[in-house]
Amino acid sequence: MDISQLSESLQRDAVWVVFLNVLLQQIGLPVPAVPTLLLAGSLAVSSGQWGKVLAAAIVASVIADWIWYLAGRAYGYRVLSGLCKLSINPGSCVSQTESRFVRWGLGSLVIAKFIPGFSTVAPPIAGSLRMALPGFLLAAAAGAALWAGLALGAGWVLRQEVQRAIALLDRHAGNALSVVGGLLVVWLGWKLWQKYRFRQFSAVPHITPDELLAAMAGEQPPLVLDLRGHSMVAETGPIVGATVAEHDRLLDAVGDWPRNRPIVTLCACPEDAGAVQAARRLLKEGYLSVRPLKGGYEAWMAAVDLDS
């Protein structure tokens, strides 16, 4: 099926095509929905389907968000940790996103669709934090309406340009696919380069759980900063002797702690990503001894269990 046939199919079954495309994309599959919405907006004017297409996009988005909400409500931080592990760049840890979500509240769901990555992470965070379902669904629907409405509206305003672009792509489909493939390769290469840079960035001295246990039992225990997300702290309880901290308010958590005294950062992120970032920042601020905990929360709990 060539591009013109795809356009005809979209014009004939726009509601269902948009519904399925948005649903799959919001579930988390790498299926871009904005191009489909732009094309649907440019085609829906003549058929009078604009309202139906917008409604289909909203319903599909809310269904996907509701599924993620239920997953977060049922499995809590494990869903968030799993999403974090799927990230090509482990530096983008869920706990940082969660702290922003807690600060912004319902408003974050309205703008979530416009922030890459946040659209998938926000609903399970809302579920894990036990956000009221009616408020969640209302905010999710408002965000979906804004996101899909802007894309459909842009397609309508730029309908002539969109149709010309479709015709151009139809005439040069082979070259277009080559360009798209090249852009995908460049994007993947950039993400892998970010991963490599993070590996270099994370090459800082760590402290093992056993070393931390010994230090906390000493005369001058270190300041332990617990950088796990709010949902995980609420679900598993605080770590005895640790201070709950957020990346955006790291210095507030440190307070007046002496700069020559040791600090340990701890997270529940793949490759200790959040703990490394926090340690790097504190070292840059002039603190002399800051080390991330090797293995994070899971390694700490295993060491505590063995010690008890």
Side-chain angles (χ1 to χ4, degrees):
M1 182 180 289
D2 58 25
I3 294 176
S4 61
Q5 289 176 313
L6 287 173
S7 299
E8 292 173 6
S9 176
L10 181 58
Q11 190 169 19
R12 183 175 61 252
D13 302 307
V15 173
W16 284 108
V17 171
V18 167
F19 177 85
L20 290 174
N21 193 174
V22 171
L23 179 64
L24 293 175
Q25 193 255 357
Q26 293 300 311
I27 283 291
L29 296 180
V31 182
V34 171
T36 303
L37 291 170
L38 288 171
L39 182 55
S42 70
L43 295 173
V45 178
S46 58
S47 60
Q49 287 187 310
W50 203 93
K52 294 180 181 179
V53 171
L54 177 60
I58 294 173
V59 171
S61 180
V62 171
I63 289 175
D65 288 346
W66 180 56
I67 292 172
W68 278 117
Y69 171 91
L70 293 177
R73 195 175 183 91
Y75 300 106
Y77 75 90
R78 284 174 288 177
V79 175
L80 307 180
S81 179
L83 289 172
C84 193
K85 289 177 182 178
L86 291 175
S87 173
I88 294 178
N89 178 15
S92 57
C93 195
V94 171
S95 60
Q96 298 179 52
T97 308
E98 185 183 354
S99 66
R100 296 185 180 99
F101 178 88
V102 172
R103 190 172 305 117
W104 298 339
L106 278 174
S108 64
L109 292 170
V110 178
I111 63 171
K113 307 298 181 191
F114 300 94
I115 305 175
F118 192 60
S119 177
T120 303
V121 173
I125 290 176
S128 64
L129 295 176
R130 299 296 192 270
M131 178 179 285
L133 183 59
F136 167 79
L137 292 176
L138 182 61
L146 182 61
W147 168 70
L150 286 175
L152 290 170
W156 177 77
V157 171
L158 302 173
R159 57 191 178 278
Q160 294 181 351
E161 288 78 4
V162 171
Q163 293 304 315
R164 281 198 289 268
I166 292 299
L168 181 64
L169 289 173
D170 192 31
R171 291 195 300 270
H172 306 283
N175 292 335
L177 289 175
S178 298
V179 171
V180 171
L183 291 174
L184 286 175
V185 170
V186 171
W187 175 83
L188 182 59
W190 169 247
K191 288 296 184 180
L192 292 175
W193 171 247
Q194 285 183 312
K195 188 178 182 70
Y196 169 77
R197 287 186 62 191
F198 176 77
R199 292 279 175 81
Q200 300 298 110
F201 176 80
S202 62
V204 296
H206 285 57
I207 186 172
T208 66
D210 290 337
E211 290 172 338
L212 178 56
L213 279 171
M216 292 183 72
E219 294 183 359
Q220 287 189 332
L223 172 65
V224 180
L225 298 181
D226 183 0
L227 294 157
R228 296 174 299 153
H230 289 264
S231 60
M232 186 173 184
V233 173
E235 185 173 340
T236 62
I239 296 173
V240 178
T243 299
V244 177
E246 296 180 8
H247 286 271
D248 293 342
R249 297 178 178 176
L250 196 58
L251 296 181
D252 293 339
V254 174
D256 57 357
W257 187 259
R259 292 180 182 270
N260 62 341
R261 293 275 300 279
I263 300 174
V264 176
T265 56
L266 176 155
C267 73
C269 300
E271 302 182 39
D272 307 325
V276 169
Q277 289 177 330
R280 285 280 192 180
R281 182 181 172 190
L282 290 174
L283 288 169
K284 187 176 180 180
E285 291 290 337
Y287 292 90
L288 302 178
S289 176
V290 189
R291 291 189 288 173
L293 178 65
K294 188 174 183 62
Y297 177 73
E298 291 184 1
W300 169 252
M301 293 306 298
V304 170
D305 290 340
L306 288 174
D307 187 63
S308 60

